[in-house]
Amino acid sequence: MKWKVKKGPILLPLLLAAAILVGIAVFTRLNRETSVEHTDLGQKYLNELNYSGAVGQFLESLSLDPMDTPARLGLAQAYLGLEETERVPQVLQPLTDSGNPDAYRLLAQAQMEEQDV
């Protein structure tokens, strides 16, 4: 006795799953590119000493990609420029938890500036 397997009921869910995965990959890629654009613009503002503009761009970048290390470091630098040192530890915590040396450097700078006030 031969078993006949209908391919339609199996093929449709596989195609649907593949389409969903491709959609997720495209969406993630588009968000990542937008996140990088905001980080780059935030860095430009930071270089121009436009700390408020930099904060806005870095926050936008982090809303799209919370793991964006350059955006976190830039946001911490912008807060230092605005003399909002109390915000720096929270911004840097994910990076200090992972042992990022730049994050520790900025954290130390924030603590020194708090003591000078």
Side-chain angles (χ1 to χ4, degrees), residues 13-34:
L14 290 176
L15 289 175
L16 184 58
I20 290 171
L21 290 175
V22 168
I24 290 171
V26 167
F27 180 76
T28 302
R29 174 85 175 164
L30 290 175
N31 273 350
R32 178 70 187 140
E33 289 174 3
T34 304

Side-chain angles (χ1 to χ4, degrees), residues 68-87:
D68 186 346
T69 296
R72 284 198 178 278
L73 294 171
L75 181 58
Q77 289 174 322
Y79 281 144
L80 286 171
L82 291 170
E83 298 180 358
E84 295 181 18
T85 55
E86 69 280 355
R87 295 179 179 224

Side-chain angles (χ1 to χ4, degrees), residues 42 44-55 78:
K44 178 182 178 280
Y45 286 150
L46 193 59
N47 292 340
E48 295 171 353
L49 306 180
N50 178 353
Y51 300 120
S52 296
V55 165

Side-chain angles (χ1 to χ4, degrees), residues 34-75:
T34 304
S35 171
V36 170
E37 291 170 2
H38 285 289
T39 299
D40 290 346
L41 187 54
Q43 190 61 49
K44 178 182 178 280
Y45 286 150
L46 193 59
N47 292 340
E48 295 171 353
L49 306 180
N50 178 353
Y51 300 120
S52 296
V55 165
Q57 291 301 313
F58 291 132
L59 287 173
E60 184 65 29
S61 179
L62 290 171
S63 75
L64 297 169
D65 180 7
M67 303 309 293
D68 186 346
T69 296
R72 284 198 178 278
L73 294 171
L75 181 58

